[in-house]
């Protein structure tokens, strides 16, 4: 198992995804997944505004980054 796969199973990452989905209140979507071709985790969000999408992505990317640095 690679570090990117381990990060996806971390409770902190799962909690952050759940929090982001609640923040969007059904008006967007969140996708966090390990890349199949590169050594990284992809973080994507759709939201009513670019600002909301950026906030969600920034938060999730930080949580994933923190988990990968363990």
């Amino acid at each position: 198992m690679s570090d990117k796969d381990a990060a996806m199973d971390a409770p902190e990452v799962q909690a952050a995804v759940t929090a982001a989905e609640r923040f969007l209140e059904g008006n967007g979507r969140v996708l966090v997944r390990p890349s199949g071709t590169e050594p990284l985790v992809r973080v994507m969000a759709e939201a009513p505004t670019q600002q909301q999408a950026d906030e969600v992505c920034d938060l999730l990317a930080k949580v994933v980054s923190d988990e990968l640095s363990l």
Side-chain angles (χ1 to χ4, degrees):
M1 181 181 296
S2 69
D3 289 341
K4 65 183 181 179
D5 293 325
M8 296 306 303
D9 293 331
E12 292 82 359
V13 172
Q14 293 173 2
V17 169
T18 299
E21 290 170 341
R22 281 192 203 129
F23 172 75
L24 293 173
E25 299 176 331
N27 293 315
R29 63 183 177 152
V30 174
L31 178 64
V32 179
R33 68 173 182 82
S35 172
T37 59
E38 298 176 276
L40 51 87
V41 174
R42 298 193 184 280
V43 176
M44 295 171 266
E46 292 179 357
T49 68
Q50 184 65 49
Q51 181 181 355
Q52 288 174 318
D54 290 344
E55 287 176 24
V56 168
C57 285
D58 290 346
L59 170 75
L60 292 172
K62 181 176 179 351
V63 171
V64 169
S65 177
D66 290 349
E67 286 304 309
L68 286 172
S69 67
L70 289 178

